[in-house]
Amino acid sequence: MTASRPIPVPDDLSADYWAAARRHVLSLPRCSRCDWFAFPPTETCMHCGTTTPMYRFEPVRGRGSVRSWTVVRNASLLGFADRVPYLLVDVELAEQPGLRMVAQLLEGPETVVHVDDPVLVTFEDIDEEFSIPAFTLAGGSTANRTTSPTPDGSIR
Ligand SMILES: [Zn+2]
C-alpha cells in the first residue's frame, strides 16, 4: 500500500480554521484591532503592526479568482504519491485585496485555467476528523474547459 496522506496538525493559531473546515466552512483569521484578514496568521499584524492581533476567525464566502497555478507532477511527500499529478491554484479571495490561498483545483491536472477565472472553495473529507479546503471552477458558461488527454493517454 501507499503511504497515507499527511493530516493537519492544528495548533493554537489554526485549530479554529480546521474546526470550521470540518463543517465545510472557510474561516480565516482577522486582526481584532484592524479587521485585516491575515492568512496565514502572523504574530504581528502585517496591516496595522500590532503585536497582539488576537485573531478571531470569521467565515468567508470562499469565492475568489485565479492569480496563478502550477501542476504538481512529483510528490515531495510520500503520502501524496498517489495523487500526482494535480493542479494547485493560487487564488485571491474576494474579501480583501491580496488575500491569497493556495489549494488544489479539483477538476484535475488537465484543466485549462486562466488568470481571473472565478473559483469557489470546496472541501475534501480526508478522514474522520479533517476536511481540506480545495477549489473548484465557478464559471458557468465556460464549463467544459478540459483539454484532451496527455500524449501518453493518461488523464489522472
Ligand atoms: Zn491589524
Side-chain angles (χ1 to χ4, degrees), residues 2-3 5-6 73-86:
T2 54
R5 179 174 175 164
R73 298 186 185 280
N74 299 298
S76 55
L77 289 169
L78 262 183
F80 290 104
D82 60 350
R83 297 181 65 88
V84 291
Y86 58 88

Side-chain angles (χ1 to χ4, degrees), residues 31 34 45 48 50:
C31 175
C34 74
C45 174
C48 73
T50 181

